[in-house]
Every structure is written in C-alpha cells, then in structure tokens.
Amino acid sequence: MRVREWDPARAPEAEIDAVLRALNEIVAVDVPEDPPWRITRFREYLAVTMPGERRTSWLAVSDDGEILGHASLLALEEIGVLELSVVPSARHSRVGTALLGAVARRAAEEGFESVGVEVIGGTPAVKFFETHGFECAFIETRNLLDLGGVDWLRLGEMAAGIGAGYRVEYHPGGPPESHYAAYAAAKEAARAAVVEDLELRPSSYDAERLRASLATLHARGLKPYIVLAVHEATDEIAGLTEVVVPAQRPTRADQYDTIEVPSHRGYGISRAIKARMLFELRAAEPHLLDVQTWNALENEPLLQVNAELGFKPDREWREYEADVVDLLRRLKS
C-alpha cells in the first residue's frame, strides 16, 4: 500500500469513478440510511474551492491499484480542515493512519497549529480520531425531514404565520446582488448569538465573500435556494434560510444557515421562511425525498421550529480538533 498526493481536477475519469465507488462502499456500511453519491459533477465537488482557499488530496492505493482510502486538507485562514475515509475492507490495516500522517505533515508545512474534522456519530471514525488524540470540541444533531410525510396544509399555515410588517422573498440560485450587503449584514448581526464551534464551515459575513461563496457553490454542482424575510419599513433583511441541493445527491437537500436578526425576533420569522422554503423545494426539485439539517442542542428555538416542521433527530455530528505538533508526535510513536 502507498499513499500519493492526488489532484482530482486533473485525474483520469477512471480514478474519479473509483473514488466514487469507494465513497459509496463507505456510505453503505457507515450511514446506510444516506443516499448513494452520483458521478454528476463529482470531479468539481472534489476539486473546486473558494478563492484564497486550497485543498490538497491524497489517495491510499493497494499494490494492485485498488483505491483503499482518500484524504484531503482544506486550508482555511486559521485551521486546516481534514476529511479522511477508508473502505471497510481496508480498515484496521493502518491505511487511515498513513493518510492521516500525510495530512498532518502538510498541515505542519502550511503552518497550521491545529486541524479539525467533522465526524459522524456511531461510525468507526469516532474511535479512530480519538485514538489519535483528537478532542471533541462541538456536538450537534443531524435532523432529517421526510418530504413524503409532510402535512402540507399545516405547513401552509406556518408559512403564512409571519408577523405584520414583513414580506417573504424566494430566490432560487442565490439572492440578487442588490441584497448582498444586507444579506451579509444579517449574518453578521446574528453571529454573536451563535454557539461557537470550530468554524469548519465558515459562513459569509461580508458581501464579497458571499459573492465568492455563491459562485463556488454553483461551480461545485451545488444549487442554492434562498428565502428571506424583509422588514418592509426599513428594507432590512430580518431573517434568511438557505438550502442547497447537490447534483451529486439530488434526492437529499442540505440545510445551511437559518438566521433571525436578534432585533427582529418574536415575529415567527424562522418558522415562516423555513416552511415557505419547503413549498418552493417541492416545486423546484420534484425528485427530492428529504432534507437534512444540523443543530446544536443549545439552539432550542430552532430545534423547536424544526420539530414543528416534522424534522426527526437522526445522528450526532461531532467536530474534533487536534494540535498538529502533538498529532505528529503520536503518529511517530
């Protein structure tokens, strides 16, 4: 077995196909309730990054050329974010450790003091990362909504239940540029109230980053849908919710941010805009089966809204962090 650096942007189609097959082997064993990934825009999903960010990838390959695992390191401003997966048949044979070593060495070369990783609860990755000294820094729960079980009549009442003085806007593909500054300002206004995590999925708190983020989503094959609540007297964005439908998994949508600006709380904004979003998704994405969202247990108001919409708790999602110097020392011992 050997580990080699790998560039998905220039890799042969056969390697992209092989990585997809390996990923789906892992999904089938670790999270069998999840839909399999598709080849559509899969190369772009692996290769494209935000301007100013860079991702380095590696493959673990057997002596006969079979892909045993994949890892990547995304260089953000303050932390390196790693992803690592090993096919079930190759586990417990130090494939994961070899990939982690490649990631740790590159993180040290890049000057990162720490690396973070998202780990799905109830999978072997939990023990793997804890054994290598990673410490859990943040836990949230994934919740799933089965669109086949939605009470659409009740949902319509929720969508109409926003307070007087607000209008709801729907923007497939992303908000219009005229909204960028207000959109980013709404995220910044709500930022202080959010439970601090490792920022492994940093949000867009200024207009330029928002513009770049939307362009990157589209380039990776991820279609965003936006619903806004606008305060009519001031034209301020009082709340927003974002859902992304990946070309690689078109039957399952990913909920991104849902935000209420603190000064506009108490008017039923989150419930109304999330309910409106589900109606729009039903019309725009007829093949969609479910929506997944992640919430910290401390975020009781949004958990309550999700429960009223019909979301059900599914799995823990954990963020782990490790000191790079300590990680390298452990890997050498």
Side-chain angles (χ1 to χ4, degrees):
M1 184 272 295
R2 64 189 178 95
V3 172
R4 61 178 172 86
E5 196 166 323
W6 183 66
D7 182 1
R10 296 178 174 83
E13 286 294 334
E15 286 190 347
I16 298 295
D17 290 343
V19 170
L20 179 71
R21 288 195 301 272
L23 175 59
N24 281 331
E25 285 181 35
I26 294 163
V27 168
V29 171
D30 291 350
V31 279
E33 68 273 22
D34 284 13
W37 290 64
R38 303 183 185 183
I39 197 63
T40 309
R41 308 291 298 278
F42 188 60
R43 181 191 296 274
E44 291 85 349
Y45 181 84
L46 294 172
V48 176
T49 62
M50 285 272 290
E53 297 177 356
R54 58 197 179 280
R55 179 184 287 110
T56 308
S57 298
W58 295 264
L59 293 181
V61 184
S62 70
D63 294 339
D64 59 3
E66 180 185 359
I67 290 177
L68 305 176
H70 170 263
S72 67
L73 177 69
L74 178 64
L76 301 181
E77 292 183 0
E78 298 180 356
I79 191 171
V81 180
L82 74 94
E83 294 183 1
L84 190 154
S85 56
V86 176
V87 298
S89 60
R91 291 171 181 171
H92 309 295
S93 57
R94 299 192 62 80
V95 172
T97 301
L99 285 166
L100 184 59
V103 171
R105 289 189 293 273
R106 182 58 55 86
E109 292 170 7
E110 297 278 357
F112 288 112
E113 294 183 0
S114 64
V115 289
V117 61
E118 287 188 334
V119 177
I120 302 174
T123 67
V126 172
K127 183 178 180 181
F128 173 82
F129 285 108
E130 290 181 350
T131 298
H132 286 90
F134 282 74
E135 295 185 357
C136 187
F138 184 70
I139 298 176
E140 53 189 353
T141 301
R142 180 174 75 170
N143 295 268
L144 290 175
L145 174 65
D146 177 3
L147 293 176
V150 169
D151 182 342
W152 294 101
L153 181 60
R154 175 167 162 71
L155 200 73
E157 295 172 353
M158 295 183 193
I162 196 167
Y166 295 91
R167 70 176 184 271
V168 176
E169 298 181 0
Y170 165 60
H171 298 288
E177 287 215 22
S178 59
H179 283 37
Y180 280 10
Y183 193 98
K187 289 201 169 193
E188 181 61 34
R191 190 178 190 179
V194 175
V195 176
E196 289 296 325
D197 60 13
L198 294 182
E199 289 282 330
L200 302 186
R201 293 169 287 175
S203 191
S204 302
Y205 300 115
D206 64 73
E208 287 307 311
R209 183 174 175 85
L210 175 62
R211 180 177 289 105
S213 177
L214 288 166
T216 302
L217 285 173
H218 285 289
R220 296 184 77 200
L222 311 175
K223 185 174 182 180
Y225 292 90
I226 309 296
V227 174
L228 306 176
V230 180
H231 187 233
E232 294 182 307
T234 61
D235 220 32
E236 292 179 352
I237 293 178
L240 61 93
T241 190
E242 307 162 329
V243 168
V244 170
V245 178
Q248 304 82 7
R249 288 185 294 106
T251 63
R252 173 168 290 181
D254 298 329
Q255 174 80 61
Y256 281 23
D257 285 344
T258 295
I259 286 173
E260 274 188 14
V261 174
S263 59
H264 294 279
R265 287 179 180 160
Y267 296 95
I269 289 173
S270 290
R271 182 182 296 102
I273 60 179
K274 284 175 73 74
R276 170 70 178 275
M277 174 67 81
L278 294 174
F279 275 105
E280 299 296 352
L281 288 174
R282 183 173 68 161
E285 299 284 346
H287 301 296
L288 199 63
L289 299 178
D290 52 30
V291 181
Q292 60 182 356
T293 187
W294 295 264
N295 301 106
L297 294 178
E298 296 85 355
N299 193 349
E300 294 182 6
L302 196 52
L303 284 170
Q304 178 62 34
V305 168
N306 285 337
E308 292 175 9
L309 293 169
F311 283 87
K312 306 293 184 185
D314 173 54
R315 284 179 179 263
E316 274 190 353
W317 228 258
R318 299 181 171 198
E319 293 183 1
Y320 281 85
E321 186 176 22
D323 177 85
V324 171
V325 172
D326 181 61
L327 179 57
L328 286 169
R329 183 167 54 247
R330 285 173 175 269
L331 289 167
K332 289 176 181 177
S333 62

